[in-house]
């Protein structure tokens, strides 16, 4: 168990397209456990492996809907097989790699995702609400896309500048 450093924008590694995982083994589970610790420590509700510098198609999500109850869900090689193209939802998104910045992003309100779980077993999840938003946000990371990439370049650049300042100030502390 370990808390890993989280990359922040504009770190070029965040633009990496992550590679599929071959086998879900103990080494991968170690990474997933570390990602989990890192997410809870931050704290956040989702984390993609590339955010800790590992270019593998792995996510951990815990919406923490019940306070104090941990229920992490692991997604290996997730693939969206369906989205509600007409039913769109708008959510005020944030990201551990774009700290303290929030903006409204439009995404399909529902999606169906196929993936391997913590034990490498194939699973399918029909997601709506915050889970659908979070899954799509995290899956974007696997293709090198941040939520700010869905915004205008003016807004995006402003947020990246703020993050740079923030990270600089934190390092100076
Ligand atoms: Ni994110």
């Amino acid at each position: 168990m370990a808390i890993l450093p989280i990359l922040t924008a504009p770190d070029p590694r965040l633009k990496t397209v992550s590679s599929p995982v071959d086998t879900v083994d103990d080494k991968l589970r170690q990474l997933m456990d570390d990602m989990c610790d890192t997410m809870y420590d931050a704290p956040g509700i989702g984390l993609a492996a590339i955010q800790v510098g590992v270019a593998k198609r792995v996510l951990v999500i815990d919406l923490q809907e019940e306070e104090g109850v941990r229920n992490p869900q692991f997604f290996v090689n997730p693939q969206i097989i369906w989205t509600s193209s007409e039913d769109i939802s708008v959510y005020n998104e944030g990201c551990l790699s774009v700290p303290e910045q929030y903006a409204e992003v439009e995404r399909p309100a529902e999606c169906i995702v196929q993936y391997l779980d913590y034990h490498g077993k194939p699973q399918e999840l029909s997601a709506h609400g915050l889970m659908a938003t979070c899954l799509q946000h995290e899956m974007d990371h696997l293709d090198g896309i941040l939520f700010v990439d869905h915004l205008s370049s003016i807004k995006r650049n402003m947020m990246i500048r703020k993050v740079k300042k923030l990270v600089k100030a934190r390092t100076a502390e």
Side-chain angles (χ1 to χ4, degrees):
M1 297 291 224
I3 292 161
L4 308 168
I6 298 174
L7 304 181
T8 55
D11 191 310
R13 285 174 286 179
L14 290 168
K15 293 205 183 287
T16 312
V17 176
S18 294
S19 308
V21 169
D22 293 329
T23 37
V24 180
D25 53 14
D26 286 346
K27 205 176 155 221
L28 192 81
R29 276 186 282 273
Q30 176 70 58
L31 170 69
M32 291 195 278
D33 290 342
D34 289 347
M35 284 171 62
C36 216
D37 288 348
T38 306
M39 174 183 73
Y40 289 126
D41 177 70
I45 60 169
L47 192 72
I50 192 62
Q51 292 181 274
V52 292
V54 179
K56 286 183 181 167
R57 303 188 82 82
V58 178
L59 314 173
V60 55
I61 292 177
D62 186 345
L63 301 181
Q64 293 159 60
E65 282 165 323
E66 220 179 313
E67 212 180 313
V69 180
R70 289 188 173 183
N71 179 30
Q73 278 180 276
F74 300 93
F75 300 85
V76 178
N77 298 342
Q79 273 188 306
I80 292 181
I81 59 159
W82 176 84
T83 56
S84 58
S85 45
E86 269 155 43
D87 191 8
I88 300 296
S89 78
V90 182
Y91 198 85
N92 195 33
E93 293 188 22
C95 179
L96 295 175
S97 293
V98 192
E100 296 184 25
Q101 311 303 310
Y102 300 90
E104 290 192 335
V105 178
E106 280 186 14
R107 299 185 190 269
E110 292 175 62
C111 62
I112 299 177
V113 179
Q114 286 182 340
Y115 60 98
L116 302 175
D117 66 14
Y118 190 80
H119 303 287
K121 205 173 145 215
Q123 303 282 359
E124 188 173 294
L125 178 71
S126 178
H128 59 92
L130 181 57
M131 190 55 164
T133 295
C134 191
L135 264 171
Q136 292 173 74
H137 171 119
E138 299 308 331
M139 285 180 66
D140 267 358
H141 277 297
L142 305 182
D143 292 322
I145 298 164
L146 298 174
F147 82 94
V148 293
D149 294 321
H150 293 280
L151 311 175
S152 70
S153 59
I154 294 172
K155 250 187 165 175
R156 174 167 61 248
N157 293 338
M158 189 189 75
M159 286 188 169
I160 303 284
R161 265 201 309 276
K162 283 188 180 167
V163 170
K164 273 186 175 171
K165 259 193 182 171
L166 188 78
V167 171
K168 213 175 157 188
R170 278 183 187 172
T171 327
E173 267 172 19

